[in-house]
């Protein structure tokens, strides 16, 4: 719905965002926006700056330069107000391993001030098909189960914007498909804006309304998957990805 997109304030607006770690510019003058209700794919090779961008959007790390607005609020000055309305999950977050899945989720539900936490937790466990693991310590779960528990945690506060860093990375194809379906359902029913990273280009084609390819912290292609394909004169995002990954950046120093 391109005509309504302009009328609604962007859920996320990033201008000139830069993050340096010593000599490395992990994110290098990045500008983009994400419309409300969109599923937005942040793509690119390992080390492109995807995780750092998500951390900057969440205020987990401070930018070297640039401006981040989420839901019309400024990061970092409105950080707490933003964090109440967003959530995130990463394949690499660890939950206290001696607590059970349910205990872990109850702790987060308490932190988020969830009303009727029991019902909420049960519904999310069901949605992501991990009800069977509710009584087990998180330390005893497979990485796929842990990923799904992290997704339950990410939806506890009914976030308006959700940041997912490689949510399907450790899932088998069947469970990955179920997670995609659950994410689409939550997007359709609640209009959640989702920013997510993945290396699975087929999944990205199915799920994303819009994508942004990063290389060396810079935007190198963006648009709807079909726009990106048309511009690259390609019929597969996988080929676009490989071409981007193999491109040498002009700014790369001579050795
Ligand atoms: N805390 C850090 N300290 C130093 N360098 C970092 C740190 N975090 C990320 N980097 C570097 O920034 C670049 C981008 O990393 P990252 O955002 O994790 O990429 P991606 O998620 O796309 O794989 C890489 O070169 C990485 O080594
Ligand atoms: Mg990453």
């Amino acid at each position: 719905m391109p005509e309504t997109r302009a009328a609604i304030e962007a859920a996320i607006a990033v201008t000139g965002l830069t993050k340096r770690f010593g000599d490395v510019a992990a994110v290098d003058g990045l500008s983009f926006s994400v419309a409300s209700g969109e599923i937005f794919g942040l793509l690119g090779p390992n080390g492109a700056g995807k995780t750092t961008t998500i951390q900057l959007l969440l205020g987990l790390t401070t930018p070297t330069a640039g401006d981040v607005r989420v839901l019309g609020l400024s990061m970092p000055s409105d950080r707490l107000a933003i964090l109440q309305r967003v959530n995130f999950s990463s394949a690499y977050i660890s939950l206290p391993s001696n607590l059970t899945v349910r205990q872990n989720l109850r702790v987060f539900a308490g932190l988020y001030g969830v009303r009727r936490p029991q019902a909420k937790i049960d519904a999310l466990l069901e949605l992501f098909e991990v009800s069977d693991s509710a009584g087990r310590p998180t330390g005893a779960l497979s990485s796929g189960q842990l990923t799904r528990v992290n997704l339950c945690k990410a939806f506890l506060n009914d976030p308006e914007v959700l940041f997912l860093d490689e949510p399907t990375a450790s899932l088998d194809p069947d469970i990955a498909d179920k997670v995609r379906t659950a994410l689409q359902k939550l997007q359709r029913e609640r209009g959640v804006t989702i920013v997510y990273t993945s290396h699975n280009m087929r999944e990205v084609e199915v799920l994303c309304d819009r994508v942004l390819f990063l290389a060396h912290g810079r935007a190198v292609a963006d648009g709807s998957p079909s726009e990106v394909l048309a511009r690259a004169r390609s019929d597969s995002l996988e080929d676009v990805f490989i071409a981007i990954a193999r491109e040498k950046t002009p700014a790369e120093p001579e050795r």
Side-chain angles (χ1 to χ4, degrees), residues 5-85:
R5 188 188 279 171
I8 303 168
E9 182 171 16
I12 295 165
V14 166
T15 321
L17 190 62
T18 298
K19 176 70 181 184
R20 298 192 152 276
F21 295 105
D23 287 346
V24 178
V27 176
D28 194 3
L30 194 58
S31 300
F32 66 91
S33 63
V34 181
S36 185
E38 214 167 34
I39 300 187
F40 184 85
L42 205 52
L43 313 176
N46 290 319
K50 304 178 297 293
T51 296
T52 306
T53 300
I54 287 182
Q55 288 177 340
L56 288 162
L57 290 169
L58 285 162
L60 295 174
T61 180
T62 41
T64 310
D67 191 52
V68 172
R69 292 179 72 76
V70 179
L71 296 166
L73 302 167
S74 276
M75 190 64 89
S77 54
D78 302 320
R79 183 166 183 267
L80 284 181
I82 292 170
L83 290 184
Q84 282 169 3
R85 295 170 59 189

Side-chain angles (χ1 to χ4, degrees), residues 98-109 121 134-137:
N98 54 337
L99 297 185
T100 67
V101 168
R102 188 178 292 286
Q103 286 167 336
N104 262 295
L105 293 175
R106 286 199 78 102
V107 169
F108 281 103
I121 289 168
R136 298 175 67 200

Side-chain angles (χ1 to χ4, degrees), residues 44-52 54 90 92 165-166 197 199:
N46 290 319
K50 304 178 297 293
T51 296
T52 306
I54 287 182
S90 151
Y92 310 104
D165 200 359
E166 301 189 32
T197 71
H199 290 306

Side-chain angles (χ1 to χ4, degrees), residues 104-167:
N104 262 295
L105 293 175
R106 286 199 78 102
V107 169
F108 281 103
L111 289 173
Y112 300 143
V114 174
R115 280 180 298 153
R116 309 205 319 121
Q118 192 76 16
K120 185 96 196 172
I121 289 168
D122 284 340
L124 286 168
L125 289 170
E126 185 106 346
L127 179 71
F128 289 109
E129 301 196 21
V130 272
S131 304
D132 291 354
S133 305
R136 298 175 67 200
T138 53
L141 302 183
S142 71
S143 61
Q145 290 165 328
L146 210 48
T147 302
R148 284 177 283 153
V149 171
N150 265 314
L151 285 167
C152 294
K153 176 239 130 191
F155 277 97
L156 274 174
N157 64 334
D158 289 326
E160 292 164 69
V161 180
L162 195 57
F163 298 95
L164 305 175
D165 200 359
E166 301 189 32

